[in-house]
Amino acid sequence: MTYRKTTMSMAKLAIAFSLGLTSVVAIAKPGKRDETPASATVIEHVTIVPMTETGGVIADATVVIENGRITSLNGVAPKGAKRLNGKGKWLIPGLTDMHVHLPSDGLPRPPKYPTEAPTFFFDTQDIMTPYIANGVTQLLNLDAVAASVGQRNEIASGKILGPSIALAAVINGAEGRGRIANTPADGRQTVRNIKAEGYDFVKVYSDLNVDTFIAIVEEANRQGMKVLGHIPESFEGQLEKAFVPGFAMVAHAEEFSKQSANFTDEDAKRFARLAKQNGTWVSPTLVTMRWIASETRSLDEMKANPNLKYMHPLLQSKWTTANRYNRNSSPKLIDYFDRMVEFHRRLVKAFKAEGVPIVAGSDALTSGVVGGFSLHEELELMVGVGLSSEEALATATRLPAIWLGVDGDRGTIEVGKRADLVLLNANPLENISNISKIAGVSVDGRWLDRAALDARMADLAKRNEATKADFDFGKIGK
Ligand SMILES: [Zn+2]
């Protein structure tokens, strides 16, 4: 037995307790602290890709995970620990998707009456399982609502196995649902509301006017919140005005390409310089535009995607029967999106050349973009543009942790960091597609091997298939 009577914080104890680890439960009993073994997992003879700034790999390492933390990279297995043979395998930090949308209770339609509770509910575990199965242990939800806070908490409490979630609440202008601000005063008040309601970040959207946008960023700075999102259309022809300090991330390459008449390399360079000068990061979401272009042409590829079965049947129905890209298709639109896909490749090259930090976001929940899988695809697309495999991995590990302000806690493999880890059967630095060859995932120290991941995914697909007939978007979604 190994004892850890002094190092386990109360917070960690609470987490361990909620995970239902019987060996840890005893710790919570008064007087039993000294008798309780730590819950340890050890991965032996593994090659670590730590993704620290210095790079490189650590060969033949012994990674010790105790109480959800990495406690050693060259240790000996504590007695009673779960021991895994990592020979021939590669260990990377858990991946982050910096741009997702998550289904949440209340969707697809708002309540009819002010006091009505939602009438449609998503199973949080079913939303999260594909992320975990793909090694995605952290998400930035760019469309957070009250129900999203509940989702985050269900995971943090250990009731649901899922990624850590950061929450960005949206402010838009003009008219419509959600938080709307059309004056600087309203913009500032809305930022304060978002802060008070417990969200982490402010997302700005396309219909904000210039003055309100700038007031929002200023107020968010004052409140200590980063702003990310779209570049409002009101900045057309005066793009540089949007790059004010505190506008910390542009959420799509498309936000730039919309500001370019002819998709020239000069424009790409100019955009990269604007971002660089302002310290603004970019999440290009190449995979989003790749799927939008495909669906505008035809739904065949999307329908044939073997990962579609992991989406909730209502969303499958929406994507296949009410696909807005396909519905509005025209030769002109197909051509436009194809040219955008191509321009975005040049844009990412320009960002890289200028030294603009790039983070991986997949805009999951856009039609055809299946969360978890889509992040792997985004990294493959980035390598296709000219990032090295290590640079691509950094966009989904170390760099997101820095942007989110959690780099002291995760994003790299180092002693003391949270045990969010992915064990791969092949070297991801040699071929980025090897991130899909997952042997196991550690989520906050909770270990799931391939069989456990497969079982969860098979169960999800089976239940989705069985309930397909009950979820017709044409009837429920209206
Ligand atoms: Zn989005």
Side-chain angles (χ1 to χ4, degrees):
M1 293 283 174
T2 306
Y3 303 96
R4 297 187 57 76
K5 62 179 174 182
T6 53
T7 53
M8 192 181 223
S9 70
M10 285 311 288
K12 182 49 69 180
L13 193 151
I15 290 163
F17 183 80
S18 62
L19 287 174
L21 304 170
T22 48
S23 59
V24 177
V25 169
I27 295 179
K29 292 180 189 163
K32 291 274 188 183
R33 286 167 189 244
D34 289 352
E35 300 167 21
T36 308
S39 57
T41 303
V42 177
I43 309 170
E44 295 169 303
H45 306 300
V46 72
T47 303
I48 303 174
V49 185
M51 292 312 297
T52 48
E53 191 133 30
T54 44
V57 300
I58 304 167
D60 198 18
T62 301
V63 179
V64 182
I65 301 163
E66 293 169 281
N67 305 313
R69 295 276 145 186
I70 299 165
T71 55
S72 175
L73 299 182
N74 57 358
V76 278
K79 258 190 197 167
K82 178 203 279 283
R83 289 169 73 162
L84 304 164
N85 184 3
K87 205 168 171 67
K89 294 187 166 54
W90 300 73
L91 193 68
I92 61 170
L95 302 171
T96 299
D97 191 327
M98 285 291 275
H99 189 149
V100 301
H101 299 260
L102 298 167
S104 59
D105 294 346
L107 295 175
R109 66 165 187 81
K112 275 183 187 154
Y113 315 104
T115 57
E116 191 187 43
T119 53
F120 193 93
F121 302 93
F122 286 94
D123 183 307
T124 305
Q125 185 60 69
D126 285 352
I127 299 166
M128 303 306 162
T129 296
Y131 286 106
I132 294 304
N134 282 287
V136 181
T137 57
Q138 182 163 256
L139 302 176
L140 176 54
N141 182 349
L142 259 65
D143 201 358
V145 293
S148 315
V149 179
Q151 282 178 339
R152 177 187 67 179
N153 295 356
E154 276 182 288
I155 293 166
S157 75
K159 285 179 195 140
I160 299 290
L161 179 74
S164 314
I165 304 178
L167 304 171
V170 183
I171 311 178
N172 199 6
E175 288 166 36
R177 277 164 53 192
R179 295 181 180 81
I180 301 294
N182 291 304
T183 64
D186 280 357
R188 290 178 192 280
Q189 184 56 50
T190 310
V191 169
R192 292 192 289 266
N193 294 348
I194 286 171
K195 172 88 175 177
E197 289 165 35
Y199 298 97
D200 306 302
F201 303 103
V202 175
K203 180 182 181 185
V204 282
Y205 212 72
S206 304
D207 300 320
L208 287 165
N209 66 49
V210 169
D211 291 346
T212 305
F213 174 96
I214 289 168
I216 286 169
V217 179
E218 261 177 31
E219 184 64 30
N221 280 344
R222 199 167 296 158
Q223 301 294 336
M225 296 175 99
K226 283 180 172 172
V227 177
L228 75 160
H230 291 200
I231 297 170
E233 278 152 34
S234 53
F235 285 95
E236 202 180 322
Q238 46 178 347
L239 185 60
E240 63 289 343
K241 278 194 180 171
F243 286 83
V244 287
F247 183 35
M249 182 163 72
V250 175
H252 301 283
E254 189 185 348
E255 299 310 312
F256 292 101
S257 52
K258 282 194 288 196
Q259 301 271 355
S260 176
N262 299 308
F263 295 161
T264 60
D265 286 336
E266 288 65 38
D267 276 352
K269 258 183 220 151
R270 181 165 61 91
F271 299 153
R273 269 198 301 270
L274 279 174
K276 177 69 183 175
Q277 282 163 7
N278 196 50
T280 305
W281 296 32
V282 180
S283 157
T285 63
L286 298 173
V287 63
T288 322
M289 191 48 68
R290 166 252 184 284
W291 277 106
I292 288 173
S294 168
E295 289 160 40
T296 304
R297 184 171 275 109
S298 151
L299 294 181
D300 291 349
E301 189 191 6
M302 192 262 287
K303 285 180 177 172
N305 182 354
N307 304 326
L308 205 57
K309 59 180 178 286
Y310 302 114
M311 291 304 298
H312 189 282
L314 182 72
L315 298 166
Q316 292 188 40
S317 169
K318 181 186 179 192
W319 293 359
T320 51
T321 65
N323 190 300
R324 66 185 174 115
Y325 303 109
N326 192 258
R327 209 187 252 169
N328 297 315
S329 178
S330 67
K332 208 176 143 192
L333 196 63
I334 291 170
D335 177 63
Y336 179 65
F337 286 145
D338 283 349
R339 288 198 300 125
M340 251 197 201
V341 167
E342 191 277 323
F343 183 56
H344 291 176
R345 293 169 55 85
R346 281 187 279 138
L347 258 180
V348 171
K349 278 182 189 161
F351 294 142
K352 180 184 158 159
E354 193 67 34
V356 177
I358 300 168
V359 289
S362 78
D363 210 2
L365 213 64
T366 299
S367 301
V369 183
V370 183
F373 300 94
S374 55
L375 184 68
H376 294 192
E377 215 183 332
E378 180 72 10
L379 297 190
E380 286 170 349
L381 288 167
M382 286 208 229
V383 170
V385 170
L387 269 68
S388 71
S389 291
E390 184 158 6
E391 284 169 341
L393 263 183
T395 71
T397 55
R398 181 179 70 252
L399 295 173
I402 292 170
W403 196 94
L404 293 169
V406 296
D407 52 314
D409 189 56
R410 52 195 103 136
T412 56
I413 301 182
E414 291 173 279
V415 171
K417 293 268 167 97
R418 187 181 146 112
D420 286 341
L421 303 162
V422 189
L423 187 64
L424 301 173
N425 288 319
N427 183 356
L429 301 177
E430 211 171 88
N431 182 347
I432 193 66
S433 300
N434 288 340
I435 53 169
S436 301
K437 295 176 181 160
I438 295 176
V441 177
S442 169
V443 190
D444 200 15
R446 187 169 169 185
W447 177 257
L448 291 106
D449 63 16
R450 185 70 259 168
L453 297 171
D454 284 346
R456 282 169 181 261
M457 289 294 269
D459 173 62
L460 172 59
K462 198 175 131 194
R463 285 182 292 104
N464 283 347
E465 183 61 32
T467 55
K468 225 171 185 173
D470 302 334
F471 296 105
D472 177 344
F473 185 78
K475 286 180 189 149
I476 299 171
K478 298 288 162 65

